[in-house]
Amino acid sequence: MPRALHPLVDEQEVLEACAVAELLEVLWRPGPEAAEGSVPPSQLRALTVIEQRDGINLRDLGDALGSAAPAVSRLCDRLEAAGLLQRSRVSTNRREVELTLSRRGHAVLANNRALRALRTAEVMQRMSAEDRRALAESLAAFRAAAADPAALGVPPRGDTLSDTA
């Protein structure tokens, strides 16, 4: 735990939120039935960023993922080889490459979200209706607080130099 949290945030509340996040990671981890054709979490994260910022370049993707250019380039090589990603040159700057999801990439994200929703619903059905409503309201407030891309470490589109790949 960091030594100094924000003074208005209770440490126990932060620990509870972190515990839930860890639980969700375990709950959403693909099971043995999904071993063939499953996409590793690092690739899912990249696909999600690309989906949210259609046409993102390699440098901005690297910034969003907190990864160095060579690692991002190799990651994109794997995603492209798997048919999940398309790279294309920007017509106004032939040195810049933009990234978009393929149909298969969109389908993988949709399937992953459906599986996560099913597993989440299985847990939530054990909660009372009142607790589910309270959870939904709290999560909506948390999501609104995190809506600023800077809060998530994602630079706004166009604020970084283009990638020369």
Side-chain angles (χ1 to χ4, degrees):
M1 177 61 68
R3 281 182 270 158
L5 293 176
H6 192 281
L8 298 179
V9 179
D10 180 82
E11 182 176 348
Q12 188 57 41
E13 294 169 350
V14 172
L15 292 173
E16 280 296 325
C18 291
V20 168
E22 290 171 359
L23 176 63
L24 288 172
E25 286 179 11
V26 171
L27 183 66
W28 291 344
R29 188 170 294 138
E33 73 282 355
E36 186 178 323
S38 67
V39 179
S42 60
Q43 291 182 12
L44 284 173
R45 194 167 155 233
L47 292 174
T48 301
V49 171
I50 295 165
E51 178 189 52
Q52 292 168 348
R53 299 181 57 204
D54 191 45
I56 191 172
N57 62 36
L58 287 169
R59 172 176 238 128
D60 289 345
L61 179 60
D63 289 345
L65 298 175
S67 299
V72 173
S73 185
R74 287 190 303 273
L75 174 66
C76 288
D77 288 344
R78 289 190 297 275
L79 291 171
E80 189 173 34
L84 304 173
L85 172 74
Q86 296 173 333
R87 295 187 216 201
S88 58
R89 300 270 179 203
V90 175
S91 60
T92 57
N93 180 354
R94 300 292 296 163
R95 293 175 45 190
E96 186 175 345
V97 174
E98 62 182 12
L99 308 169
T100 57
L101 295 185
S102 66
R103 281 187 202 202
R104 184 162 184 259
H106 284 288
V108 163
L109 284 179
N111 290 339
N112 186 35
R113 288 180 179 130
L115 178 61
R116 287 178 171 189
L118 177 64
R119 290 180 175 173
T120 303
E122 288 171 353
V123 172
M124 290 179 68
Q125 61 88 24
R126 297 181 205 139
M127 299 168 62
S128 71
E130 183 180 331
D131 285 346
R132 287 193 305 268
R133 277 191 297 279
L135 176 64
E137 289 174 15
S138 296
L139 291 173
F142 184 88
R143 188 173 179 191
D148 178 8
L152 301 176
V154 179
R157 186 173 178 153
D159 278 8
T160 59
L161 299 174
S162 66
D163 198 1
T164 55

